[in-house]
Amino acid sequence: MRFSIGHRLFLSVLLAILVVAAAAIALMRHKVMGSFSEYAVQIELDRLEELSQDLARGYGKQGSWDFLPTGDFARQRFIAAEMRRLQGARAQSTGITAPPAPPAPPAPPAPPAPAPANPLAVPPLPALPVPPAPPVPGAGIDQLGLQDRVTLLDASGRYLAGRKQGAEPGAQRPLEWAGKVVGYLRVARVMRPSDALAAAFLGELKSSLWGIIAASVALSALAAVALAAHFRKPIRGLADGAQALAEGRFDTRLPVTRSDELGELAHSFNRLAERLGAAETSRRQWVADTSHELRTPLAVLRAQLEAIEDGVRSADPATVAAMLRQVLALNKLIDQLYALARADVGALDCQRQPIDVWALARESASAFAERLAAAGLAFDIGPVPAPCTVMGDPDRLRQVFGNLFENALRYTTLGGRVVLSGALADGALQLVLEDSAPGVPDDALDRLSERFYRVDASRSRTSGGAGLGLALCQRIMDAHGATLAFSHSPLGGLRVTLAFPLAAA
């Protein structure tokens, strides 16, 4: 089953929205269940304003809390009775008839109050009867049991009336008379997580969950469509371009109009197409040049053999020597092609060992001394550099020096100079071989190590070779971890710099 990028984006955005919504609901539920009781108790304290004023007035009339009933049971029921009395008075003032309240449980008889010591002192107020408690308009039933959670304390925090003080958390408000704190009303917090208001709020939240899901799906679809349209066009262009490259159309290029990762990908695609095109051109040129280089000696050999067969020429030593030269040239060309092919796959054999590379270079120069003199070229050798021991394959390095001296011999005009020198630079041993005019054009310096490249494309094999010598030198130097560089020589010709890392002592 094909799963398009639009579907993937839709599911990704939908999942993200649903996770965020679920996390928000869970956090809200946690906050509501954990903090609603604290919030509610503050509201309940505000609802006790009328009771606070009534108790403060009673204290002001008596000058103390002696008006409170005696006996534990009466004191525990006092706050609830006062709240019902105030509620009934409020209902009568507003003209609302209150339904009868359930009878209060009988209270145990209280012991007679002692006579006041001071006849002028105000006697304590008798315990108030419990009147029927009509409901507060609009308040509904007291589902949270506020009447049973209120405690009256004196100014020092000692228990006076109402709920027995325990270890449960709560909140309190001061009772003031004549600018002085005379006591406190304390409300215990409801610890049940199923508070009526909290449960109702969460119920409303659950009922709106389907609306949240529907909105999430709609937003996810819109976001997925917009994102898919934004990404589909460049991705389709990349897919079409890759298909074109697979079909061999290496001139395919993509427009780079974006600055994001897709723009970078398009830029990389264009570079890849350019390199593939260059590789294909090089491959075709390689095949054409190889065929040409192989055809020439084979054609000469064929002509010599056909002439002998037709009786035009005899198989004398001169004819055999001419054919042998063509065979040797063909063998050299094949050896070079084979070495380059092995170098391309990283399989060029190099038996590296500590060698005196300067002595090896002088040995190769001695082999060319007679030919250089016969060509009318002066050959100079600089002082011996020290140290000059490197890790290398003597046979492979002889190929390098032989190709370089052959190149200098072939392309330096009569009466010129060839100079070999060495020096230490940047922690490496540098050998420099340079010759005099003619020089090499600037645009040809970077191409000298290409296969079959000749500065003069019209030059024949006899004077110019196959164009593989410098390419093979480059591969051999790479296999040694060394470098080969071409530049203009102060003598007017070409300078070749070979840099070898020195062998560890």
Side-chain angles (χ1 to χ4, degrees):
M1 178 181 178
R2 183 174 179 269
F3 203 54
S4 68
I5 189 172
H7 295 153
R8 296 176 187 272
L9 289 172
F10 169 73
L11 291 180
S12 299
V13 176
L14 176 61
L15 180 62
I17 292 178
L18 291 180
V19 168
V20 171
I25 292 175
L27 180 62
M28 188 177 299
R29 178 183 178 86
H30 173 73
K31 285 295 184 182
V32 168
M33 302 309 292
S35 306
F36 188 80
S37 295
E38 181 178 356
Y39 172 72
V41 78
Q42 297 295 333
I43 297 179
E44 289 172 334
L45 282 176
D46 294 338
R47 292 175 55 191
L48 297 177
E49 174 67 24
E50 185 178 10
L51 176 63
S52 300
Q53 295 177 359
D54 181 72
L55 292 174
R57 284 194 298 269
Y59 179 89
K61 291 179 181 179
Q62 187 70 18
S64 67
W65 294 108
D66 293 339
F67 67 89
L68 296 176
T70 58
D72 290 342
F73 183 82
R75 285 178 178 262
Q76 291 178 17
R77 302 300 302 168
F78 175 76
I79 295 297
E82 278 294 294
M83 291 179 67
R84 287 194 295 269
R85 183 181 66 80
L86 294 173
Q87 190 176 20
R90 188 186 316 112
Q92 291 177 3
S93 65
T94 57
I96 299 177
T97 303
N118 186 0
L120 298 178
V122 179
L125 296 177
L128 298 176
V130 180
V136 179
I141 301 174
D142 183 11
Q143 297 182 1
L144 301 182
L146 174 61
Q147 296 179 356
D148 298 327
R149 292 186 289 110
V150 181
T151 303
L152 176 62
L153 307 173
D154 64 8
S156 62
R158 184 172 57 86
Y159 170 78
L160 293 176
R163 176 189 177 97
K164 282 289 187 180
Q165 191 172 4
E168 71 278 355
Q172 63 186 21
R173 65 177 300 167
L175 302 178
E176 297 183 357
W177 183 257
K180 176 183 177 182
V181 176
V182 297
Y184 296 94
L185 270 185
R186 187 178 190 277
V187 177
R189 185 185 305 172
V190 178
M191 299 304 294
R192 295 171 300 163
S194 56
D195 291 345
L197 293 179
F201 176 78
L202 294 175
E204 288 293 329
L205 194 62
K206 291 179 180 177
S207 65
S208 62
L209 183 60
W210 290 110
I212 295 175
I213 294 176
S216 301
V217 173
L219 289 175
S220 301
L222 290 175
V225 170
L227 289 173
H230 182 68
F231 290 120
R232 186 177 289 117
K233 183 177 180 181
I235 292 176
R236 174 55 58 188
L238 286 169
D240 294 341
Q243 181 65 30
L245 289 184
E247 295 173 357
R249 290 179 284 163
F250 300 113
D251 58 342
T252 303
R253 298 293 184 273
L254 297 180
V256 183
T257 57
R258 303 171 63 104
S259 59
D260 54 6
E261 288 80 358
L262 287 174
E264 295 177 1
L265 185 58
H267 183 67
S268 299
F269 177 90
N270 291 339
R271 287 188 297 174
L272 174 63
E274 182 178 356
R275 296 194 65 176
L276 287 176
E280 177 63 16
T281 302
S282 177
R283 184 191 68 83
R284 293 176 180 177
Q285 187 66 36
W286 163 268
V287 172
D289 291 341
T290 303
S291 300
H292 173 74
E293 295 298 330
L294 292 175
R295 186 187 302 116
T296 302
L298 289 176
V300 174
L301 284 174
R302 178 180 178 180
Q304 295 285 355
L305 292 174
E306 288 178 348
I308 294 174
E309 184 180 22
D310 295 339
V312 176
R313 301 188 63 176
S314 60
D316 53 14
T319 303
V320 173
M323 290 191 295
L324 180 60
R325 285 194 299 270
Q326 299 300 322
V327 171
L328 292 176
L330 184 60
N331 185 73
K332 179 181 178 181
L333 176 61
I334 292 174
D335 287 343
Q336 290 178 334
L337 290 174
Y338 178 71
L340 286 172
R342 291 182 61 83
D344 287 341
V345 297
L348 186 64
D349 295 330
C350 287
Q351 305 297 327
R352 300 176 67 182
Q353 60 187 25
I355 59 172
D356 187 339
V357 70
W358 177 256
L360 193 64
R362 293 198 59 174
E363 176 188 332
S364 299
S366 299
F368 279 85
E370 294 184 4
R371 296 179 58 190
L372 291 171
L377 301 178
F379 180 61
D380 299 325
I381 299 179
V384 179
C388 52
T389 301
V390 302
M391 297 296 295
D393 186 329
D395 295 332
R396 292 296 185 187
L397 292 180
R398 285 191 184 94
Q399 285 182 275
V400 173
F401 291 126
N403 286 331
L404 293 179
F405 280 115
E406 185 69 34
N407 190 73
L409 175 65
R410 183 175 294 149
Y411 300 130
T412 305
T413 57
L414 182 65
R417 292 179 59 200
V418 177
V419 178
L420 175 65
S421 61
L424 292 177
D426 300 328
L429 174 62
Q430 292 187 353
L431 299 186
V432 179
L433 180 65
E434 49 189 338
D435 53 47
S436 56
V440 178
D442 293 338
D443 57 353
L445 286 176
D446 294 334
R447 302 190 59 190
L448 288 178
S449 59
E450 294 181 8
R451 299 163 187 171
F452 299 110
Y453 178 75
R454 301 186 184 95
V455 176
D456 184 2
S458 64
R459 188 164 52 236
S460 65
R461 279 189 69 258
T462 303
S463 60
L468 295 176
L470 295 181
L472 183 58
C473 291
Q474 181 69 64
R475 301 305 184 275
I476 294 175
M477 293 294 288
D478 291 341
H480 282 78
T483 60
L484 178 68
F486 303 99
S487 60
H488 297 293
S489 169
L491 302 178
L494 178 67
R495 166 181 283 184
V496 183
T497 303
L498 299 90
F500 296 90
L502 293 172

